[in-house]
C-alpha cells in the first residue's frame, strides 16, 4: 500500500462512549477495553478527559501499557481571557500521562457567538495558541473542529480559518466533526474534498455522530474524499444516537475497500469478541442484528436460503463470517462452529487434528452451554479450561466438598445497621480435606477469601492473584427471583488478566464456578511457566 492509502483508526469509546445514557465505565472497564483495542491493532486509543471526573483521573494516574496503539488524552482549547500558561485545562493535558492529546475547539461562528461570547478572531487565537503550546510538550497534537460541517455550511470561510489555525500551529491531525450528526454523505464528501485543497488529506480526520443513521456512511465518504484518520466507538456507543461504529468501519475498510488500516487488518477475527466484550462490560445483551458481528448477521432459516448457502455461502453471505470472528448459524440444523473452535485452539496453543472426534464433541458441548447462558467470547480463560478438560490435560488441583455462605444483617454496638458475610468452605487439597472460614465484603468476597485461605498454603502463587471486576447479568428476567444468572469475574496477576464465567439459577453457585475456573486457570498457567 502507498502512504496515501493508509487510514489511521482512532477509538473514542472511553470518552464519547462514556457519554451514553446508562453507561458508567469503571477503571477496570477502561483498562480491559483499552487492552482489547490495542490487541486489535487500532492506532489511537483516547482514554478520556484527565481531571474531568474521578474515574478519568484515576485511569490517567496509572494508564494502560499499550503495545501498538498511541494513548491519547482529551481536552479543550484555552478559555477566553486566559493565557496558555495560566489555563488549568491545558495544564492537565500537558501533564497527562499520554504521549498525544486531542483538543476540541469551535469551528461554527454561531457557537462562537452563542457559547463563547467572544469575537471570532479571539476563537482563532485560542485554537492557534493552544495547539502551539502543546506541540512543544507532546509527541502529537490533534484538533477536533467541533460542529465543523454545520459551521462550513453556514460560513465556509470561517470554518476553514479555524482548521487552518490549528494546522499552521503544528497539529498533526485536523479532525472534522459532524457533532450534530445531521450531515448527509454527499455533503460530507463534497466538503472534505474542498478541505483537501487547503490541508493535505493525510492530515485530515473525520468524526461522525449517528443522528441520521449515516455515521458509518459519512465516515466512508470522508475517507473517499481524502481524509486519512477515522474516529469511532465500539458498537457505535455514544450520546444521543451514538457515534460511527468502529467495528463496522474496520470490517468494511478491510474487506470492501483498497484502503490500508495498518495492524488492525491482521486481527479482524477479534472484532466479534471485542464487540461482545463491550456489551458484557456494560452488562447488556449484544445486538443480534449488528452488522458483521451480530449473532443473526449470518443466520439462515430453513428453506431455500439454507439450501443455497450450503451449496455456496456467497449466495446469502457477503463475507466469510470467520473473517470477523463470527459464524454461520442455520436455525434448523446448526452446522457452524468447528472452524471457530479450531481457531480458538490455535490461539491458546493447542494443535489438534481437525478430524479428531473430540473437536466435534467440544463443538456440541459449547453450543449446549451457550444455550444455557454461557458466553465464552467474553470468558476466554473458562473456554480454555473447557477445551483442555475435553482433551484431559488439566489436573484436579483441588476438589470442592461443600461450601456454605451466610449473611448477617444486624445493628452493631454503635446502633449502625451492618451486613456481614461469612463463608465456610471444605476442599480436598493434596489428598487432605481442609475446612476454612472467612468473612468478606459480601458473600462472593467471603467465598473467595475462604477458598484461597485453604489453597494458598499449598499453592503460594495464589498470593499474587486478585479479583479486579465482578459482573452479574440476569438471563431470564421473566423468571423473577428464580432467574438464571451469569457471573463474569476478571482476575489479575503476574500472568496478566483473565476472565471466567459461571451460570446457575443460584448466584452464589454461579460465582463459585467462575472463581473455581479463575483459580484453576492461574494454577495451570503457573505450572506451565515453572515447568
Amino acid at each position: 500500500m502507498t502512504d496515501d492509502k493508509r487510514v489511521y483508526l482512532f477509538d473514542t469509546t472511553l470518552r464519547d462512549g462514556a457519554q451514553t445514557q446508562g453507561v458508567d465505565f469503571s477503571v477496570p472497564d477502561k483498562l480491559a477495553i483499552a487492552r482489547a483495542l490495542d490487541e486489535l491493532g487500532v492506532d489511537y486509543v483516547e482514554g478520556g478527559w484527565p481531571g474531568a471526573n474521578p474515574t478519568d483521573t484515576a485511569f490517567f494516574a496509572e494508564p494502560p501499557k499499550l503495545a501498538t496503539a498511541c494513548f491519547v488524552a482529551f481536552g479543550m482549547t484555552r478559555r477566553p481571557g486566559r493565557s496558555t500558561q495560566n489555563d488549568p485545562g491545558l495544564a492537565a493535558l500537558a501533564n497527562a500521562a499520554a504521549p498525544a492529546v486531542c483538543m476540541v475547539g469551535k469551528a461554527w461562528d454561531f457557537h462562537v457567538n452563542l457559547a463563547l461570547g467572544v469575537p471570532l478572531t479571539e476563537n482563532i487565537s485560542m485554537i492557534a495558541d493552544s495547539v502551539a503550546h502543546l506541540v512543544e510538550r507532546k509527541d502529537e497534537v490533534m484538533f477536533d473542529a467541533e460542529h465543523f460541517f454545520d459551521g462550513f455550511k453556514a460560513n465556509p470561510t470561517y470554518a476553514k480559518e479555524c482548521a487552518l489555525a490549528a494546522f499552521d500551529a503544528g497539529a498533526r491531525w485536523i479532525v472534522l466533526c459532524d457533532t450534530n450528526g445531521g450531515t448527509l454523505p454527499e455533503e460530507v464528501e463534497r466538503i472534505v474534498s474542498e478541505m483537501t485543497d487547503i490541508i493535505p488529506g493525510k492530515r485530515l480526520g473525520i468524526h461522525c455522530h449517528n443522528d441520521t443513521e449515516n455515521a458509518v456512511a459519512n465516515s466512508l465518504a470522508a475517507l473517499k474524499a481524502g481524509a486519512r484518520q477515522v474516529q469511532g466507538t465500539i458498537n457505535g456507543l455514544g450520546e444521543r444516537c451514538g457515534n460511527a461504529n468502529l467495528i463496522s468501519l474496520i470490517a468494511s475498510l478491510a474487506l470492501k475497500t483498497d484502503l490500508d488500516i495498518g495492524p488492525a487488518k491482521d486481527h479482524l477475527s477479534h472484532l466479534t469478541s471485542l464487540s461482545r466484550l463491550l456489551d458484557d462490560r456494560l452488562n447488556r445483551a449484544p445486538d443480534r442484528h449488528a452488522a458483521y458481528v451480530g449473532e443473526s448477521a449470518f443466520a439462515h432459516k430453513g428453506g431455500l436460503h439454507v439450501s443455497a448457502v450450503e451449496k455456496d455461502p456467497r449466495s446469502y453471505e457477503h463475507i466469510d463470517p470467520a473473517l470477523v470472528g463470527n459464524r454461520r448459524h442455520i436455525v434448523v440444523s446448526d452446522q457452524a462452529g468447528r472452524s471457530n473452535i479450531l481457531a480458538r485452539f490455535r490461539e491458546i496453543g493447542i494443535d489438534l487434528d481437525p478430524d479428531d472426534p473430540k473437536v466435534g464433541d467440544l463443538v456440541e458441548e459449547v453450543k449446549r452451554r451457550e444455550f444455557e447462558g454461557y458466553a465464552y467470547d467474553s470468558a476466554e480463560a473458562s473456554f480454555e479450561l473447557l477445551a483442555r478438560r475435553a482433551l484431559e490435560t488439566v489436573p484436579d488441583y483441588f476438589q470442592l466438598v461443600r461450601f456454605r455462605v451466610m449473611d448477617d444483617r444486624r445493628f452493631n454496638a454503635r446502633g449502625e445497621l451492618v451486613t456481614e458475610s461469612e463463608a465456610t468452605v471444605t476442599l480436598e487439597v493434596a489428598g487432605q480435606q481442609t475446612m476454612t472460614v472467612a468473612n468478606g465484603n459480601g458473600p462472593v468476597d467471603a467465598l473467595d477469601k475462604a477458598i484461597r485461605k485453604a489453597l494458598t498454603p499449598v499453592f503460594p502463587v495464589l498470593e499474587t492473584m486478585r479479583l479486579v471486576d465482578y459482573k452479574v447479568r440476569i438471563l431470564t428476567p421473566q423468571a423473577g427471583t428464580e432467574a438464571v444468572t451469569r457471573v463474569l469475574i476478571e482476575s489479575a496477576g503476574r500472568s496478566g488478566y483473565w476472565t471466567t464465567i459461571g451460570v446457575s439459577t443460584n448466584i452464589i453457585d454461579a460465582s463459585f464456578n467462575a472463581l473455581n475456573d479463575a483459580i484453576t486457570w492461574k494454577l495451570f498457567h503457573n505450572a506451565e511457566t515453572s515447568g
Side-chain angles (χ1 to χ4, degrees):
M1 285 286 182
T2 57
D3 286 343
D4 64 345
K5 295 290 186 182
R6 177 68 160 96
V7 171
Y8 293 82
L9 305 173
F10 188 114
D11 181 86
T12 70
T13 303
L14 302 182
R15 181 187 62 82
D16 265 345
Q19 297 180 33
T20 309
Q21 187 174 8
V23 169
D24 186 16
F25 291 128
S26 65
V27 173
D29 288 337
K30 288 200 164 205
L31 287 169
I33 293 166
R35 288 194 299 268
L37 287 164
D38 187 46
E39 290 171 6
L40 176 63
V42 303
D43 298 287
Y44 299 95
V45 173
E46 188 178 79
W49 194 320
N53 57 69
T55 299
D56 281 1
T57 299
F59 184 48
F60 277 91
E62 295 186 40
K65 296 178 180 178
L66 305 179
T68 300
C70 177
F71 190 52
V72 182
F74 184 83
M76 61 184 292
T77 57
R78 68 168 175 83
R79 298 176 185 176
R82 285 184 178 269
S83 67
T84 52
Q85 289 77 17
N86 192 34
D87 188 275
L90 287 184
L93 282 177
N95 296 327
V101 296
C102 185
M103 287 185 297
V104 64
K106 305 295 184 185
W108 186 6
D109 57 356
F110 170 72
H111 259 226
V112 175
N113 294 324
L114 179 71
L116 297 181
V118 299
L120 298 183
T121 53
E122 169 64 6
N123 180 56
I124 298 290
S125 298
M126 289 162 58
I127 294 169
D129 295 347
S130 302
V131 171
H133 179 75
L134 289 177
V135 162
E136 297 178 355
R137 293 161 174 81
K138 291 293 179 180
D139 295 344
E140 211 167 320
V141 176
M142 290 162 257
F143 174 66
D144 258 20
E146 188 181 34
H147 293 284
F148 179 82
F149 292 93
D150 291 304
F152 190 98
K153 286 183 280 187
N155 186 341
T157 300
Y158 185 71
K160 290 177 181 179
E161 288 176 355
C162 292
L164 279 170
F167 177 74
D168 292 339
R172 166 64 182 90
W173 291 104
I174 312 301
V175 183
L176 311 180
C177 302
D178 185 26
T179 311
N180 284 341
T183 312
L184 296 178
E186 61 269 21
E187 296 177 294
V188 170
E189 184 175 357
R190 174 180 58 82
I191 292 171
V192 173
S193 293
E194 191 168 333
M195 286 301 298
T196 61
D197 292 336
I198 60 172
I199 296 176
K202 63 183 180 180
R203 303 283 293 275
L204 290 174
I206 182 69
H207 178 115
C208 295
H209 285 251
N210 200 37
D211 296 73
T212 63
E213 200 68 41
N214 278 291
V216 169
N218 284 342
S219 300
L220 293 173
L223 296 175
K224 181 182 178 183
R228 285 297 176 261
Q229 185 200 95
V230 61
Q231 298 194 358
T233 61
I234 304 171
N235 296 344
L237 208 63
E239 64 179 334
R240 302 189 313 275
C241 303
N243 286 47
N245 186 343
L246 199 64
I247 299 290
S248 302
L249 276 168
I250 290 172
S252 293
L253 288 169
L255 301 173
K256 307 290 186 179
T257 77
D258 64 348
L259 296 172
D260 177 14
I261 57 170
K265 68 180 181 294
D266 297 323
H267 302 286
L268 292 181
S269 61
H270 294 181
L271 286 176
T272 297
S273 59
L274 174 62
S275 171
R276 294 176 185 175
L277 167 71
L278 179 70
D279 286 324
D280 278 323
R281 284 277 164 183
L282 298 178
N283 222 10
R284 67 182 190 181
D287 178 3
R288 295 179 61 91
H289 302 284
Y292 292 103
V293 297
E295 190 174 344
S296 297
F298 302 96
H300 310 279
K301 294 187 70 172
L304 293 176
H305 284 204
V306 172
S307 176
V309 166
E310 289 179 340
K311 291 178 181 176
D312 188 339
R314 291 174 299 177
S315 301
Y316 288 99
E317 292 176 353
H318 64 110
I319 64 164
D320 176 358
L323 292 173
V324 292
N326 207 344
R327 64 175 189 169
R328 180 180 308 127
H329 183 70
I330 297 174
V331 176
V332 176
S333 58
D334 195 337
Q335 300 299 317
R338 179 180 290 265
S339 61
N340 278 15
I341 295 293
L342 291 171
R344 292 193 193 180
F345 279 173
R346 290 191 293 270
E347 288 177 1
I348 60 180
I350 298 177
D351 187 14
L352 195 63
D353 183 351
D355 296 324
D356 191 318
K358 290 180 179 178
V359 176
D361 293 342
L362 185 56
V363 168
E364 295 307 314
E365 176 68 6
V366 169
K367 290 178 185 176
R368 182 185 67 80
R369 284 174 168 258
E370 292 197 341
F371 178 78
E372 294 173 353
Y374 285 82
Y376 289 110
D377 281 321
S378 300
E380 298 87 352
S382 283
F383 172 78
E384 180 182 345
L385 291 176
L386 178 70
R388 292 189 183 278
R389 283 167 179 150
L391 302 173
E392 301 176 351
T393 58
V394 179
D396 288 328
Y397 297 105
F398 62 95
Q399 291 183 326
L400 173 71
V401 178
R402 68 190 298 263
F403 72 78
R404 180 177 62 197
V405 177
M406 298 185 299
D407 280 348
D408 181 20
R409 190 169 187 263
R410 59 183 175 79
F411 289 95
N412 63 16
R414 297 177 181 177
E416 301 167 330
L417 185 63
V418 296
T419 302
E420 297 177 338
S421 296
E422 178 184 291
T424 303
V425 174
T426 303
L427 301 177
E428 186 172 304
V429 190
Q432 294 186 347
Q433 283 194 11
T434 302
M435 186 183 78
T436 55
V437 181
N439 294 321
N441 182 22
V444 178
D445 184 46
L447 185 61
D448 175 49
K449 288 178 177 175
I451 293 171
R452 287 205 265 173
K453 189 175 181 181
L455 295 179
T456 301
V458 182
F459 305 109
V461 69
L462 294 179
E463 292 180 353
T464 66
M465 173 184 167
R466 69 186 191 281
L467 270 59
V468 296
D469 203 16
Y470 173 87
K471 278 188 167 57
V472 177
R473 183 172 158 211
I474 304 302
L475 300 179
T476 54
Q478 68 276 10
T481 55
E482 296 179 349
V484 175
T485 302
R486 176 196 294 165
V487 168
L488 285 171
I489 289 179
E490 184 180 14
S491 305
R494 292 174 183 169
S495 306
Y497 293 80
W498 62 100
T499 304
T500 52
I501 190 171
V503 175
S504 175
T505 54
N506 184 307
I507 189 173
I508 305 301
D509 184 51
S511 300
F512 173 81
N513 293 336
L515 284 169
N516 184 24
D517 272 7
I519 293 170
T520 301
W521 189 91
K522 170 69 174 175
L523 294 176
F524 179 81
H525 279 269
N526 181 70
E528 276 197 328
T529 303
S530 58

